[in-house]
Amino acid sequence: MKAKKFWSLLLAASLTAGALAGCGGSTSGSKETTSENGKEATENSKAPGDAGSTGEEKGTDTPAASGEQSSDGQSPDEQSSGEAVTLDFWNVFTGSDGDILREIVDNYNAANTDNITINMDIMPNDTLQQKLPAAIATNTAPDFVLFGIENIAPYVSNDSLEDISDFWETTGVDKTNFLDNVVDLSCVDGKLYGVPMQYNVQYLYWNKDMFTAAGLDPETPPATMEELAQFAEKLTDESKRQYGLALPTNVTYMQFLWANGGDADDPDKNENLLDSEANVKTLEWLQDLAVNKKVTPMNLTGPDADTMLQAGQIAMYMSGPWQINGLKEAGINFGIAPCVSGSAGAFSPAGGCSYMIPKGIDDTKKTAVYKFMKYWLSDDTLKEWSQRNGFPVWSKSLMEDPEIKNDEVLNSISKATEIGRSYNLGYSLASQIDNDVMIPMFEKVITGAAAPDAALGEAVTAMDKVLGK
């Protein structure tokens, strides 16, 4: 029964946690290897996490820092040919980001001095989450995996991941060079189960040309919920199928609840926090925007919002860094800003992906995986990933890199990253809360299917049921 329950939990998580996690591309398509062509990127459906200040500047033991290290981050006296080691690596990067990841892995295979070869299989997230628990149970799991951090806790609860808390000391990588909040997202009960690969929050994208046409300053995005509503109304022209703000259904809008001092639940106390006047007011504001002022297309899906944004039909949209390359390719003149603030401040659900090692790996292969993880955390590799994919920088030494400082997009998203906040990350009931409570509530409000107070009341009851109250 435990294995069956775990399987169901992971499958449910995979279907609801993709977009916020910011891992991979589309959720369709067959398995790929490093030699195959990549797919076009599409936005995931949802994402969680949180951020922190950069702290004091520290260097890392990377090729860029020392000038005397190889591509695997080793100094010359550490390098050795050794026996050949082949690693199987599963991940969920089915979009164009998978092509870039494949290039980096291929470069590592060619350049590392330890005879390590990584065979990479790419598959949709729901496929991986179906296959991995069974593979772990039958000792046929890959040597390491890469997927959203929201899935770490369920695997840990089933004793299916290796505790890699010794990674920093074993490899000599300076843990203090990385934002604490990013590293902490891969920890459960104080133990490290994943090495961060990327980190993200949701941002506010705006179309500067549409701002200009509407008489708004193209360099000044809305900073508050009140301004967001005013701008969205001014930018909407239904006759031209032009909308001020995209509000897709089948997602959550925690940034708005938090901004006004509301919340959904407290995972530490297993407590329902939905029943509040702050949440009622936020949902009334949201329904007024969507139903009365009609600033968003009705019954909009995430992929449809992506398409309309890239077609110049959406003026503002809250999404993750996976939008950046598509907007550049589409020739959209866009800006990126933090999510807007309310009476309690500005916040954004954050998330990311980590490299993890399934339970049962032997010491030789674990050591080889550690070497690739160390390579990934070098400033050279992290810099390439951020510059080519538009994901924020979370290495303190890399934040001081002149090219990063002078990159307008990376600078913008790095500032936006500072308001990241964890939304039920590591909580075993997270997926059920989204599916049974939060997504239905927001959908009813945005589509006008229920009055805000009624939708909230139903959600409170549903939350109590999920929490076992």
Side-chain angles (χ1 to χ4, degrees), residues 296-369:
T296 181
M298 199 56 68
N299 296 309
L300 185 68
T301 67
D304 287 342
D306 297 348
T307 299
M308 293 182 71
L309 183 70
Q310 294 175 20
Q313 294 175 295
I314 295 288
M316 297 182 291
Y317 183 30
M318 289 165 295
S319 188
W322 46 85
Q323 297 290 348
I324 292 172
N325 285 342
L327 290 172
K328 287 181 176 179
E329 291 170 4
I332 299 296
N333 181 20
F334 69 97
I336 303 175
C339 290
V340 294
S341 66
S343 59
F347 306 93
S348 175
C353 294
S354 285
Y355 294 108
M356 291 155 269
I357 301 177
K359 200 79 170 183
I361 194 171
D362 65 49
D363 289 342
T364 299
K365 289 196 169 185
K366 186 175 183 179
T367 298
V369 174

Side-chain angles (χ1 to χ4, degrees), residues 7 10-11 14 125-135 155:
W7 191 308
L10 261 297
L11 177 58
S14 73
N125 187 53
D126 55 351
T127 300
L128 186 148
Q129 302 301 346
Q130 289 176 21
K131 292 178 63 175
L132 186 57
Y155 279 99

Side-chain angles (χ1 to χ4, degrees), residues 225 228 245 247 252-253 256-257 279-293 295-296 318 441-443 445-447 452:
M225 291 174 65
L228 182 70
L245 178 65
L247 293 171
T252 64
Y253 292 93
F256 293 144
L257 295 188
N279 284 343
V280 172
K281 290 182 178 179
T282 300
L283 295 180
E284 288 174 344
W285 172 86
L286 190 61
Q287 187 169 87
D288 181 54
L289 270 180
V291 178
N292 299 331
K293 295 176 179 174
V295 302
T296 181
M318 289 165 295
M441 179 188 74
F442 282 114
E443 185 169 344
V445 169
I446 290 171
T447 61

Side-chain angles (χ1 to χ4, degrees), residues 96-119:
S96 60
D97 49 3
D99 298 333
I100 299 171
L101 178 59
R102 183 180 296 107
E103 287 182 37
I104 293 173
V105 169
D106 284 345
N107 289 339
Y108 178 80
N109 285 340
N112 83 83
T113 61
D114 295 294
N115 286 341
I116 296 171
T117 300
I118 297 173
N119 292 330

Side-chain angles (χ1 to χ4, degrees), residues 87-352:
L87 301 174
D88 291 325
F89 169 37
W90 291 2
N91 68 74
V92 297
F93 281 64
T94 56
S96 60
D97 49 3
D99 298 333
I100 299 171
L101 178 59
R102 183 180 296 107
E103 287 182 37
I104 293 173
V105 169
D106 284 345
N107 289 339
Y108 178 80
N109 285 340
N112 83 83
T113 61
D114 295 294
N115 286 341
I116 296 171
T117 300
I118 297 173
N119 292 330
M120 188 170 91
D121 284 341
I122 300 177
M123 62 195 78
N125 187 53
D126 55 351
T127 300
L128 186 148
Q129 302 301 346
Q130 289 176 21
K131 292 178 63 175
L132 186 57
I136 294 172
T138 57
N139 295 317
T140 58
D143 300 300
F144 68 117
V145 294
L146 171 64
F147 51 75
I149 53 178
E150 71 280 357
N151 285 320
I152 293 178
Y155 279 99
V156 171
S157 69
N158 204 55
D159 194 29
S160 295
L161 292 179
E162 292 284 337
D163 176 354
I164 58 173
S165 300
D166 66 343
F167 169 78
W168 309 106
E169 183 176 356
T170 299
T171 61
V173 176
D174 182 5
K175 178 184 176 182
T176 66
N177 186 53
F178 305 99
L179 297 182
D180 289 339
N181 288 4
V182 177
V183 175
D184 288 347
L185 294 176
S186 294
C187 294
V188 177
D189 295 331
K191 296 179 180 179
L192 185 71
Y193 290 94
V195 166
M197 181 265 192
Q198 67 182 23
Y199 174 76
N200 65 275
V201 297
Q202 297 261 307
Y203 316 113
L204 176 66
Y205 290 84
W206 82 95
N207 185 311
K208 294 184 178 183
D209 292 340
M210 293 177 72
F211 268 52
T212 299
L216 296 169
D217 182 353
E219 301 303 325
T220 306
T224 65
M225 291 174 65
E226 182 180 3
E227 289 179 349
L228 182 70
Q230 293 171 351
F231 285 23
E233 190 172 9
K234 197 167 187 177
L235 288 157
T236 298
D237 187 342
E238 279 194 280
S239 67
K240 297 180 180 178
R241 194 165 161 69
Q242 173 182 307
Y243 297 90
L245 178 65
L247 293 171
T249 55
N250 202 38
V251 297
T252 64
Y253 292 93
M254 292 304 303
Q255 59 268 49
F256 293 144
L257 295 188
W258 288 334
N260 274 342
D263 209 337
D265 62 281
D266 183 340
D268 292 330
K269 299 179 180 179
N270 201 49
E271 184 178 355
N272 185 348
L273 302 178
L274 275 174
D275 191 8
S276 71
E277 187 62 29
N279 284 343
V280 172
K281 290 182 178 179
T282 300
L283 295 180
E284 288 174 344
W285 172 86
L286 190 61
Q287 187 169 87
D288 181 54
L289 270 180
V291 178
N292 299 331
K293 295 176 179 174
K294 304 182 187 301
V295 302
T296 181
M298 199 56 68
N299 296 309
L300 185 68
T301 67
D304 287 342
D306 297 348
T307 299
M308 293 182 71
L309 183 70
Q310 294 175 20
Q313 294 175 295
I314 295 288
M316 297 182 291
Y317 183 30
M318 289 165 295
S319 188
W322 46 85
Q323 297 290 348
I324 292 172
N325 285 342
L327 290 172
K328 287 181 176 179
E329 291 170 4
I332 299 296
N333 181 20
F334 69 97
I336 303 175
C339 290
V340 294
S341 66
S343 59
F347 306 93
S348 175

Side-chain angles (χ1 to χ4, degrees), residues 403-414:
E403 287 187 42
I404 298 298
K405 283 186 170 183
N406 293 326
D407 187 309
E408 182 180 352
V409 170
L410 289 180
N411 238 339
S412 297
I413 63 175
S414 293

